[in-house]
Amino acid sequence: MDERQQAKRSRFPRLSAVVSFRRRLFMSFLFIAIPIIAGVLVIALVIVQTSSRRIILQSQATELERVAAQFESIFNDTENVSREIIYNSEVQQFMEEAADENVYPEDAEISYYINGLILNRDYIGSVVLTSPDRTLFSTENAFTDLSAYQNITEKWWYPQLTASTAPSLWFAYSRLSAAMYESQQNNEIPNQINTPMLARTIYSTEDYQSILGYLMIYLDDEYIAQMWQDLAWGQTTNIYLFDENGDLLLFSSLLPDYSNIFGSVEAKDTDQVFRYDRNLYALSSTDLNLNNWTLYMLTPYNEINGSARIMMWILLAIIAAIVLALFILSRYSASSISKPIVRLSNMMDSYHGAEPDEPSLEPELYEKRPDEIGRMYRSYEQLEDRMNRLIQDIYVKNLEKKDAELALLQSQINPHFLYNTLDSINWMALANDQEEISSMITALSDTFRLSLMKSSSHFIEMKQEVDYIQSYLVLQKFRYADRLSYEFDLPEIPPELYILRFILQPVVENALKHGIDKLPGGGKILIRIRVGAQVTIYVINDGANINLKKMNRLLVYDPMESDILNFKKEGYGVQNIYRRIKIICGDEYGLSYYTEGEQTVCRIILPVKESLE
């Protein structure tokens, strides 16, 4: 195999890497955009659904108000007609003659008057006048269910009429109460079911106490049925009219009956869209300005949400168009972004003899580019030059000697260089009145100085450990600002008191991460140290959301039986401190977590050690 073939083979992994980079870049665009689009889609669907339901309920309420106005007009006019009839002088004379003579008086004039009165009122089906013991006049044929006196006295509503002192009463043959079943048992004829009827007592106008008889005005079934058919809302809309007692007076019986669905709704006085047996229904209600009656309208939601469905489809079409445009734009962006990187990769391949992927390379284009690609190219050129010089030096000089010199240089790295640099930055900050930056640099310098302090002992002076954690909290205060406050409750610490090195910082960091971070307004950390027969350190932070069961599982360790490096996946810092205390100080020492009110407490128990021996 010649060198050219080896170069081509060596280039294949790089080609696959370039292709993978372009694909990952393309997928990253999609992974960022798709959740955003999905969130926007969900929000838009919720908004469209909510607004469409509100619009549909408003439209249904408007339609219901129109129907209510029709009913109010019919009922009010019917009551006006009833008053005109009972207070008409001819009707009064007719009723008095019937009572006095105990015979049927001539009713031609009465017939002419009443028929003329209801001539243009198509909603009135029939009018019946009775004395207390017989039927005197009826616009119906004689001896029908409406006019035969025997039938009238057997109606379920007749006792209520004769016992009532109200000026007028409305009755209907369809009630969702015991009255409906009673009326059915009394063999009400089918074509009278769902028929509203106004009944009132006729008093003599001479004393307004003597009862001359009764007036019954029946509304026309066909007229009411035509009202249901003319309803321009839904295909199977149900309308229910309830009286002040909650009894059903009237409903659109010619349409599919949703009474069982209507009966399952609790808050009927609220316009709403509710679900019943996996189907949605729209319910609206309005009060009639008549006898405290209430009118309800119930419609299957799928019959009236056509515009909402159209809006949904339009929204989905827009989202699909956006997704398609995003897909195309992502491919174009990924290609345009990756192209200079691919060309730079090809150029880098040319440095070590590999055949470039593109025949024409123009390095001068990359040398003058001000962006990251140009800086990468120039850095790579510098790296190439430096590598070439190092390779020449390695060939010229003795390799072992250079390795030794390099090791010597590494061993002589002095942290004082870092301290001097931080001090210089601190002086520059003070010279420019940047006190906060100066405080941060000072705390950082103290933290490094204490953490890089060389010592072969596991212990450190307690004062140094306290100084270290104070510097650490100063740095954290710059990060959390007003969300963090801290306090130290310290005794007078003797200089010869030693504790384990670096045990407070992981615990404080844990309190910040799992306590202060979780509180919207931040919180406070209190570090309290007590020295007696033993050293007890308390790290107390606001927030009591710690999982104590989990912490107890993490703090299960026996130095005689456990593997030192066998750590659980979470809580590495706490486990490390706990095991160091057990191994170095003894099994009677350690740390534990508990809560007090709305605070979490970490208690660390250590021995009193007054020397490093």
Side-chain angles (χ1 to χ4, degrees):
M1 183 180 296
D2 57 18
E3 295 181 357
R4 184 180 179 85
Q5 291 176 336
Q6 291 179 354
K8 287 183 177 180
R9 172 169 291 187
S10 65
R11 194 177 76 252
F12 289 155
R14 287 189 296 276
L15 285 174
S16 62
V18 169
V19 173
S20 177
F21 167 73
R22 184 177 299 167
R23 183 181 297 113
R24 290 198 303 271
L25 186 61
F26 169 66
M27 295 303 297
S28 66
F29 287 136
L30 296 182
F31 288 154
I32 293 173
I34 287 177
I36 296 176
I37 292 177
V40 172
L41 176 61
V42 171
I43 294 173
L45 289 175
V46 171
I47 293 175
V48 169
Q49 186 181 49
T50 303
S51 61
S52 64
R53 288 189 177 184
R54 184 174 62 253
I55 293 172
I56 286 173
L57 286 175
Q58 291 174 350
S59 300
Q60 179 166 283
T62 302
E63 187 66 22
L64 183 59
E65 290 292 341
R66 186 187 65 81
V67 176
Q70 286 182 301
F71 276 118
E72 287 180 359
S73 176
I74 291 173
F75 291 138
N76 286 327
D77 195 58
T78 302
E79 291 195 355
N80 291 335
V81 169
S82 71
R83 282 191 291 270
E84 290 185 26
I85 292 175
I86 66 173
Y87 293 124
N88 181 268
S89 59
E90 295 178 354
V91 173
Q92 283 283 319
Q93 182 179 356
F94 175 78
M95 300 297 290
E96 289 176 356
E97 290 177 357
D100 293 340
E101 300 175 4
N102 200 23
V103 296
Y104 287 102
E106 180 63 36
D107 62 358
E109 293 183 2
I110 299 301
S111 176
Y112 178 80
Y113 169 72
I114 292 179
N115 286 325
L117 191 62
I118 67 173
L119 178 62
N120 295 321
R121 290 179 168 88
D122 297 335
Y123 52 84
I124 295 181
S126 60
V127 178
V128 178
L129 290 172
T130 72
S131 68
D133 57 359
R134 57 186 171 174
T135 299
L136 298 178
F137 171 80
S138 173
T139 57
E140 289 284 325
N141 294 327
F143 306 113
T144 65
D145 181 65
L146 300 184
S147 61
Y149 186 76
Q150 181 65 29
N151 290 342
I152 293 175
T153 58
E154 292 177 355
K155 301 297 185 182
W156 59 267
W157 47 264
Y158 189 76
Q160 298 182 31
L161 173 62
T162 57
S164 175
T165 59
S168 62
L169 296 173
W170 279 94
F171 299 101
Y173 290 98
S174 59
R175 291 173 178 250
L176 293 182
S177 65
M180 181 186 72
Y181 303 107
E182 181 182 352
S183 66
Q184 291 178 346
Q185 292 171 3
N186 288 337
N187 298 320
E188 298 285 358
I189 60 176
N191 63 359
Q192 292 303 318
I193 293 177
N194 213 31
T195 301
M197 181 266 290
L198 172 69
R200 65 188 305 158
T201 303
I202 303 176
Y203 293 95
S204 173
T205 55
E206 293 181 357
D207 57 8
Y208 293 98
Q209 293 182 355
S210 302
I211 298 177
L212 300 179
Y214 303 97
L215 168 67
M216 281 75 74
I217 301 178
Y218 295 86
L219 298 187
D220 186 65
D221 291 339
E222 295 182 358
Y223 187 90
I224 300 298
Q226 189 62 42
M227 285 183 58
W228 307 141
Q229 295 176 6
D230 293 342
L231 184 64
W233 184 257
Q235 299 174 358
T236 61
T237 300
N238 273 201
I239 295 180
Y240 305 88
L241 178 62
F242 284 85
D243 63 13
E244 68 278 6
N245 298 320
D247 290 327
L248 183 60
L249 293 176
L250 186 67
F251 75 100
S252 50
S253 59
L254 299 179
L255 298 174
D257 185 10
Y258 300 132
S259 299
N260 57 331
I261 301 174
F262 180 80
S264 65
V265 182
E266 294 182 359
K268 297 185 179 67
D269 56 343
T270 303
D271 292 354
Q272 59 184 294
V273 175
F274 65 94
R275 185 177 297 277
Y276 180 84
D277 194 20
R278 295 180 294 181
N279 294 317
L280 290 176
Y281 296 87
L283 175 65
S284 301
S285 65
T286 185
D287 293 330
L288 297 183
N289 295 322
L290 181 70
N291 298 335
N292 295 321
W293 292 351
T294 305
L295 195 65
Y296 297 93
M297 180 179 285
L298 179 64
T299 309
Y301 192 74
N302 60 358
E303 296 180 3
I304 52 178
N305 69 333
S307 59
R309 285 197 297 267
I310 293 175
M311 292 178 62
M312 288 291 186
W313 282 113
I314 293 175
L315 179 62
L316 291 176
I318 293 174
I319 294 296
I322 293 175
V323 170
L324 179 61
L326 178 67
F327 181 82
I328 297 173
L329 182 62
S330 297
R331 284 183 61 88
Y332 173 77
S333 299
S335 177
S336 62
I337 293 174
S338 63
K339 184 176 181 180
I341 299 176
V342 173
R343 294 187 65 187
L344 180 60
S345 175
N346 295 335
M347 191 176 297
M348 291 178 177
D349 286 343
S350 65
Y351 280 111
H352 50 76
E355 183 179 351
D357 297 328
E358 298 182 7
S360 59
L361 296 173
E362 301 175 356
E364 62 275 6
L365 296 179
Y366 289 91
E367 291 176 354
K368 298 179 181 179
R369 287 184 65 141
D371 58 4
E372 290 79 1
I373 302 298
R375 290 199 295 271
M376 288 173 59
Y377 171 76
R378 291 188 290 272
S379 297
Y380 183 76
E381 278 193 326
Q382 294 174 4
L383 179 62
E384 287 280 347
D385 293 339
R386 185 176 179 183
M387 288 178 63
N388 290 332
R389 289 196 299 269
L390 288 175
I391 292 173
Q392 291 175 0
D393 291 341
I394 290 173
Y395 276 102
V396 172
K397 299 179 181 178
N398 187 289
L399 182 61
E400 294 181 353
K401 183 177 179 181
K402 293 295 297 180
D403 289 342
E405 290 177 354
L406 181 61
L408 179 61
L409 288 174
Q410 291 177 345
S411 66
Q412 290 178 348
I413 294 177
N414 196 326
H416 288 292
F417 170 75
L418 176 61
Y419 304 149
N420 292 336
T421 302
L422 292 175
D423 287 339
S424 298
I425 297 173
N426 184 29
W427 282 109
M428 291 177 66
L430 290 174
N432 289 276
D433 296 327
Q434 300 292 330
E435 295 182 1
E436 288 188 357
I437 298 177
S438 175
S439 300
M440 183 181 293
I441 294 298
T442 303
L444 181 62
S445 177
D446 293 341
T447 302
F448 279 141
R449 184 174 287 107
L450 292 170
S451 62
L452 295 176
M453 183 180 298
K454 295 182 180 180
S455 175
S456 60
S457 174
H458 295 292
F459 293 86
I460 188 174
E461 290 182 10
M462 178 179 285
K463 184 179 183 306
Q464 291 181 338
E465 180 73 6
V466 171
D467 291 341
Y468 174 71
I469 205 63
Q470 287 176 333
S471 299
Y472 174 76
L473 283 172
V474 168
L475 293 175
Q476 294 300 323
K477 179 66 175 176
F478 281 98
R479 173 188 174 190
Y480 286 91
D482 293 336
R483 295 185 70 249
L484 171 63
S485 62
Y486 59 89
E487 180 183 354
F488 287 83
D489 182 6
L490 307 176
E492 184 175 350
I493 303 175
E496 59 274 6
L497 182 62
Y498 297 87
I499 63 173
L500 274 181
R501 176 187 297 270
F502 299 128
I503 63 169
L504 284 179
Q505 189 272 338
V507 175
V508 173
E509 182 180 6
N510 201 48
L512 289 169
K513 181 178 180 181
H514 300 288
I516 307 302
D517 262 348
K518 304 296 184 181
L519 300 175
K524 179 180 178 181
I525 292 180
L526 170 63
I527 299 176
R528 177 183 295 137
I529 298 178
R530 295 292 181 262
V531 180
Q534 57 191 12
V535 177
T536 306
I537 303 175
Y538 300 91
V539 178
I540 306 170
N541 65 273
D542 290 343
N545 295 326
I546 186 172
N547 189 336
L548 293 178
K549 292 183 179 179
K550 175 182 175 182
M551 296 305 298
N552 291 334
R553 289 196 302 268
L554 294 177
L555 300 180
V556 174
Y557 177 72
D558 186 351
M560 303 303 296
E561 299 179 0
S562 302
D563 185 357
I564 296 176
L565 299 179
N566 186 19
F567 289 91
K568 295 180 174 60
K569 293 182 179 180
E570 298 180 352
Y572 175 85
V574 174
Q575 294 179 76
N576 183 281
I577 296 172
Y578 184 76
R579 296 183 183 188
R580 285 174 57 207
I581 294 175
K582 292 291 183 181
I583 294 171
I584 298 173
C585 300
D587 194 50
E588 65 270 26
Y589 304 101
L591 64 86
S592 60
Y593 278 87
Y594 60 94
T595 60
E596 286 184 351
E598 296 298 324
Q599 292 182 319
T600 300
V601 181
C602 176
R603 181 178 61 190
I604 305 172
I605 300 177
L606 299 171
V608 176
K609 187 173 180 62
E610 299 179 347
S611 68
L612 291 176
E613 300 179 357

